[in-house]
Amino acid sequence: RGGGVAAWALHRKIISAGATLLAWPLSGSTDPMSGFFCTTKEVLARGENRINPIGFKIGLEIMTRCQCKSVQDVPIMFQDRVAGESKLSTKQNFLYLMQLASLYFHRYPLGSFLVLLLALLILLLLLQIVMS
């Protein structure tokens, strides 16, 4: 409660909501897409040799592969960018989907195929709506 975004365009809000929805089953966070997080050495140690530091969302990677039991969200109000450019691109969306697939296979080895298929269909539908 208390966080949000300033004046994002509708397509940006839809993509963000879709990406968040796809990540929720993997984490205990209300905002698993956040790039702002902190943790302990003990939590990181549980993911030794399993964390992919190249991942698009390292916080989500840590929550999943290090088996975080407790997540405390702190609301952040995101403002419009005043400098630089967004990294959001088709390539980044694809890399995020690949990271999600890897995390789902890690967390839910038996049901991952069906969950992944459903998630990809939902994301494709959202992207199709945004692009049209």
Side-chain angles (χ1 to χ4, degrees):
R1 203 172 76 160
V5 296
W8 279 3
L10 179 61
H11 77 280
R12 174 82 167 133
K13 289 179 182 179
I14 291 171
I15 291 172
S16 177
T20 299
L21 181 67
L22 293 174
W24 271 344
L26 295 170
S27 75
S29 174
T30 58
D31 185 11
M33 301 305 295
S34 178
F36 301 100
F37 64 93
C38 63
T39 189
T40 64
K41 289 180 183 180
E42 292 80 20
V43 168
L44 289 175
R46 290 197 300 255
E48 191 172 352
N49 298 321
R50 291 186 297 184
I51 296 174
N52 176 5
I54 308 298
F56 181 69
K57 290 295 180 184
I58 191 67
L60 179 60
E61 185 86 17
I62 290 170
M63 282 186 273
T64 303
R65 296 195 194 272
C66 297
Q67 304 160 355
C68 290
K69 304 287 187 250
S70 175
V71 175
Q72 177 68 46
D73 291 319
V74 177
I76 298 172
M77 176 58 79
F78 288 95
Q79 300 296 324
D80 289 335
R81 188 180 303 273
V82 293
E85 295 181 24
S86 172
K87 295 179 281 187
L88 186 64
S89 67
T90 302
K91 179 182 178 182
Q92 289 302 317
N93 289 337
F94 177 77
L95 292 174
Y96 174 64
L97 289 176
M98 295 300 98
Q99 182 182 19
L100 272 182
S102 175
L103 293 174
Y104 270 100
F105 282 116
H106 173 79
R107 174 67 62 91
Y108 308 107
L110 297 176
S112 291
F113 177 74
L114 295 176
V115 171
L116 179 63
L117 184 61
L118 178 63
L120 288 174
L121 288 174
I122 291 170
L123 190 61
L124 287 173
L125 288 172
L126 286 172
L127 288 174
Q128 189 174 29
I129 290 168
V130 170
M131 299 303 209
S132 56

